Amino acid sequence: MFKDIFLFELKYRFSRPATWIYFALLLIVPLLLIGFGNTPASEKVYHNSPIVIANLLVLVSLFGILIASAIMGVPIYRDLEHKTGT
């Protein structure tokens, strides 16, 4: 039963364009920030220093939390609509 639900959710998610947009945003934005040097690094700090990477990780994680709630909101709403939640 769990396997069927899990596979259904995977197929549903990968067929939605929002999933690919979220993935692209979380992948491309940090790469562009580091690639073009638009990081909060000064002249004496490299763009790949640990503090800059940690700051970018915090920024991406905040957006990731918002995206995770957007992704998980749909199955939760579907469960409540069909009264499958307990």
Side-chain angles (χ1 to χ4, degrees):
M1 180 71 175
F2 176 76
K3 178 184 163 189
D4 296 331
I5 294 172
F6 184 72
L7 290 176
F8 171 78
E9 289 296 332
L10 283 179
K11 288 177 188 175
Y12 176 78
R13 264 299 132 201
F14 287 132
S15 68
R16 307 297 297 173
T19 303
W20 298 107
I21 292 170
Y22 295 150
F23 175 75
L25 282 174
L26 288 176
L27 177 70
I28 293 171
V29 169
L31 289 176
L32 289 176
L33 287 175
I34 289 182
F36 288 120
N38 293 332
T39 60
S42 65
E43 294 176 1
K44 296 181 180 180
V45 177
Y46 293 114
H47 293 287
N48 63 348
S49 67
I51 189 67
V52 173
I53 292 173
N55 286 337
L56 284 175
L57 193 62
V58 167
L59 179 69
V60 171
S61 296
L62 289 174
F63 286 117
I65 290 170
L66 295 174
I67 289 172
S69 63
I71 288 174
M72 289 307 298
V74 174
I76 291 172
Y77 176 72
R78 217 175 328 141
D79 287 347
L80 293 174
E81 183 180 356
H82 295 291
K83 296 181 175 53
T84 57
T86 55

